[in-house]
């Protein structure tokens, strides 16, 4: 007998995907993850997190998390997607003082 679990996926991106507006004003975009295409639709308020990061941070990374939804011919739908954006600081390489 199997134990019940909940599958959640997190996809990380660092560039703004191409988006199109679909029904109810949702912002729809697709993410290619190793040949599997994940279809994502989010509310404009959630999409704004990505556009704000693009405008305000020179480097950033976003974590898009959700549940694996229906299978599509190319991959899957990412249901109930939410986005967290983080400013990415460039790594500073210090020269040896030797």
């Amino acid at each position: 007998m199997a134990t019940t679990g909940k599958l959640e996926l997190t996809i990380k991106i660092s560039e703004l995907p191409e988006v199109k507006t679909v029904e109810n004003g949702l912002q729809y975009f697709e993410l290619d993850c190793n040949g599997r295409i994940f279809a994502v639709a989010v509310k404009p308020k959630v999409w704004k997190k990505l556009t704000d990061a693009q405008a305000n941070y020179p480097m950033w990374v976003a974590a898009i998390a959700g549940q694996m939804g229906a299978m599509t011919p190319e991959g899957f739908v990412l249901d109930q997607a939410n986005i967290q954006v983080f400013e990415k600081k460039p790594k500073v390489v210090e020269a040896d003082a030797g």
Side-chain angles (χ1 to χ4, degrees):
M1 180 129 198
T3 300
T4 303
K6 181 178 178 182
L7 177 64
E8 291 184 340
L9 301 171
T10 301
I11 301 170
K12 295 180 182 178
I13 62 170
S14 59
E15 62 184 58
L16 197 62
E18 291 183 30
V19 67
K20 62 182 174 181
T21 303
V22 294
E23 61 189 43
N24 299 327
L26 295 176
Q27 303 298 309
Y28 173 85
F29 55 96
E30 295 179 339
L31 303 170
D32 185 345
C33 300
N34 298 327
R36 295 282 185 201
I37 305 297
F38 284 84
V40 184
V42 294
K43 294 179 182 178
K45 183 178 178 182
V46 176
W47 173 253
K48 188 172 180 338
K49 293 178 185 181
L50 287 176
T51 57
D52 286 350
Q54 182 74 21
N56 297 323
Y57 302 140
M59 294 173 38
W60 54 270
V61 64
I64 304 171
Q67 297 178 359
M68 189 180 329
M71 190 175 203
T72 65
E74 301 86 22
F76 297 91
V77 173
L78 189 64
D79 284 336
Q80 301 173 12
N82 194 14
I83 298 174
Q84 288 183 298
V85 178
F86 306 94
E87 183 177 9
K88 191 173 178 183
K89 304 282 186 180
K91 292 184 180 179
V92 177
V93 178
E94 296 183 23
D96 287 336

